[in-house]
């Protein structure tokens, strides 16, 4: 399965899991990953760790930036990052 296809399946599964209930994020992620593995149909995923981090990092950054009304200093503090790292990640995900 290609990385793009894996990302699309994982994104859909995270979205479906989150919409099912108001369960803790940890449970939503566990459910999404269980579904993801069921849908692999015997294929081995590549760089799964990085794929999951990227799928979670962008919405996290977007949500915190929205919450802080794009105040990068406040967002960096909330995320536990320095402002330079936040700016680098914003550029990576085209959030600037």
């Amino acid at each position: 399965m290609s990385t793009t296809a894996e990302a699309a399946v994982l994104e859909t599964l995270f979205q479906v899991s989150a919409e099912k209930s108001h369960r803790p994020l940890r449970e939503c992620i566990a459910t999404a990953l269980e579904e993801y593995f069921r849908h692999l149909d015997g294929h081995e995923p590549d760089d799964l760790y990085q794929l999951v981090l990227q799928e979670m990092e962008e919405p996290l950054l977007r949500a915190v930036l929205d919450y802080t009304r794009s105040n990068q200093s406040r967002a960096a503090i909330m995320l536990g990052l320095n402002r330079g790292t936040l700016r680098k990640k914003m550029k990576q995900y085209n959030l600037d």
Side-chain angles (χ1 to χ4, degrees):
M1 188 178 277
S2 74
T3 303
T4 305
E6 289 175 352
V9 169
L10 194 57
E11 180 180 354
T12 301
L13 293 173
F14 276 126
Q15 193 173 39
V16 168
S17 293
E19 291 172 357
K20 284 185 179 179
S21 69
H22 297 291
R23 298 178 299 154
L25 180 59
R26 172 183 293 265
E27 289 179 21
C28 293
I29 293 168
T31 300
L33 287 168
E34 288 169 10
E35 290 293 319
Y36 173 74
F37 287 124
R38 270 198 286 276
H39 284 88
L40 281 179
D41 195 32
H43 290 84
E44 291 289 324
D46 294 328
D47 297 325
L48 182 61
Y49 183 78
Q50 189 62 37
L51 177 68
V52 171
L53 288 181
Q54 287 176 339
E55 289 297 312
M56 293 179 55
E57 192 169 46
E58 182 188 356
L60 171 63
L61 295 173
R62 189 177 303 278
V64 171
L65 287 165
D66 286 347
Y67 181 78
T68 62
R69 295 188 182 121
S70 297
N71 182 316
Q72 294 176 16
S73 295
R74 284 185 57 216
I77 291 168
M78 285 180 66
L79 291 164
L81 301 173
N82 70 49
R83 204 166 53 105
T85 301
L86 175 60
R87 290 178 58 82
K88 178 181 169 187
K89 290 181 178 293
M90 289 172 61
K91 185 174 182 178
Q92 176 184 349
Y93 295 111
N94 297 316
L95 297 175
D96 42 355

